[in-house]
Amino acid sequence: MDKRTEFFGWFKQQGLDNIELWLEEFELAEKGMEKAMINVALLYKQYGFFEEMYNLLTTVSEHKNSEAMYELANCYIEGLGGKGSEQQAFSLYKDAANLGHRDAMNNLADMYFNGEATEVDEKKAFLWFEKAAKHGVPEAMYTLGIMYEQGLGTQCNASLALEYYKRSADLQYAEAKYRLGMIFYSGELGQQQNDKEAIEWFRKASEHYHVDAIYNLGYCYEHGHGVIQDVDRAMTYYKQASMLGDREATKRIVIYYEQINLKEAAKWREKLESLESFKGFDEN
């Protein structure tokens, strides 16, 4: 059986669509087209065929293809198929970053920042986050905001911290939107405390299903911070947060219904108990 026929049979077994397009991609991969090889490798990854994935990504990585290096490093970090290590991932991220791969720059910076497969080195982390940010990586911009805010790897600079948070938020990074909400809610980084501005940022973060932002919207509506007090709307936000696993939001719902509807309170108390049980299991 030739490789094309073998791939066709495998593809049919998975019940996938667009078989003609993928057969063309497979044929290009067989001819050594690196982009096609990476695409087929990622298809194998999606369906758990890790040996085939590793073979393709390793081959392309040996050609100094930064995308293949980055994807192979990700697979090592995830420990797929029991292969690889953090040290191998670190080396691949570093090689890909030096070849200009922006996400590899960010991941390499993370490893320096957290001391993964290397010593903690905040200055090197800062430099690589800066490079990634210059290439438009919103996560890197957000982390630079943290580093400038806390003086990690650089001097504290409130205005630059705020600038990087805003740049990251402009690129739709949810954590940056939430952080800006907290900055205006608490009056941090030299900003005037401003509930209305905070709520706008919490709203923007909530569009990404950011659970803490959703909870905070509930809290603001419950207590009338920056908005007209509206307990019904507060409960709507608390219920959204609860559905995302937030225990504090669930507690607020239980407290509310204990005053007006004991049957409904019992239902939400059961939900709270399940969340608490899950928390205990998670910690073990």
Side-chain angles (χ1 to χ4, degrees):
M1 183 184 298
D2 62 42
K3 289 185 177 180
R4 186 181 188 280
T5 303
E6 187 178 341
F7 179 79
F8 179 84
W10 172 83
F11 197 94
K12 291 275 285 185
Q13 283 182 340
Q14 310 313 308
L16 305 178
D17 297 325
N18 300 319
I19 192 165
E20 291 301 325
L21 288 174
W22 275 108
L23 281 174
E24 290 177 16
E25 198 75 357
F26 180 79
E27 289 170 357
L28 290 172
E30 284 293 286
K31 293 175 182 177
M33 299 292 290
E34 293 182 0
K35 179 61 176 174
M37 292 171 77
I38 294 169
N39 289 340
V40 173
L42 295 179
L43 180 69
Y44 282 137
K45 177 182 180 180
Q46 187 177 351
Y47 292 93
F49 286 76
F50 300 132
E51 192 67 34
E52 294 85 347
M53 172 199 75
Y54 278 119
N55 288 340
L56 284 168
L57 290 178
T58 299
T59 297
V60 185
S61 293
E62 289 170 353
H63 300 161
K64 302 300 179 185
N65 182 299
S66 64
E67 183 66 18
M69 291 175 179
Y70 169 74
E71 292 292 353
L72 184 57
N74 288 345
C75 295
Y76 285 154
I77 287 288
E78 294 164 31
L80 298 180
K83 288 191 176 184
S85 66
E86 281 191 350
Q87 286 75 20
Q88 287 172 292
F90 177 83
S91 179
L92 284 162
Y93 284 141
K94 191 172 186 179
D95 288 344
N98 282 318
L99 289 169
H101 194 288
R102 67 178 207 157
D103 292 315
M105 293 175 186
N106 185 64
N107 288 11
L108 178 63
D110 273 330
M111 295 188 86
Y112 278 123
F113 191 61
N114 296 310
E116 298 169 309
T118 185
E119 295 294 321
V120 171
D121 192 326
E122 291 173 354
K123 289 187 177 180
K124 283 185 179 178
F126 179 82
L127 290 173
W128 280 110
F129 281 130
E130 265 200 327
K131 290 179 181 180
K134 287 176 182 175
H135 283 78
V137 179
E139 296 94 327
M141 296 172 190
Y142 171 75
T143 311
L144 284 172
I146 293 172
M147 297 183 85
Y148 273 117
E149 181 176 356
Q150 299 181 16
L152 302 173
T154 187
Q155 295 294 314
C156 284
N157 189 316
S159 63
L160 281 175
L162 189 67
E163 178 186 329
Y164 274 110
Y165 287 139
K166 286 183 175 179
R167 286 176 58 189
S168 180
D170 286 343
L171 291 172
Q172 305 307 311
Y173 193 58
E175 286 297 333
K177 294 180 180 183
Y178 173 71
R179 182 72 192 107
L180 286 165
M182 291 304 299
I183 287 166
F184 287 105
Y185 189 79
S186 303
E188 302 172 42
L189 296 180
Q191 303 304 299
Q192 290 284 336
Q193 197 279 336
N194 187 327
D195 286 340
K196 288 186 177 180
E197 182 80 5
I199 284 171
E200 284 307 305
W201 285 112
F202 290 146
R203 284 192 206 284
K204 290 175 182 178
S206 74
E207 292 169 1
H208 302 269
Y209 302 100
H210 192 292
V211 64
D212 292 329
I214 295 169
Y215 173 85
N216 285 1
L217 285 170
Y219 189 87
C220 288
Y221 273 102
E222 182 181 10
H223 297 280
H225 293 177
V227 291
I228 296 171
Q229 189 176 25
D230 186 336
V231 177
D232 288 338
R233 195 162 185 180
M235 289 303 122
T236 298
Y237 282 118
Y238 283 147
K239 287 175 183 178
Q240 289 177 17
S242 178
M243 291 299 111
L244 292 169
D246 192 273
R247 290 182 294 277
E248 290 302 315
T250 312
K251 288 178 185 177
R252 301 304 304 165
I253 298 167
V254 171
I255 291 168
Y256 172 70
Y257 280 118
E258 281 177 340
Q259 302 171 54
I260 63 169
N261 188 328
L262 293 178
K263 185 178 179 180
E264 193 71 10
K267 183 183 82 173
W268 285 100
R269 195 179 300 110
E270 185 178 340
K271 172 71 184 293
L272 178 60
E273 288 170 0
S274 71
L275 290 174
E276 293 288 359
S277 298
F278 183 77
K279 176 188 175 186
F281 176 80
D282 221 31
E283 288 173 349
N284 290 334

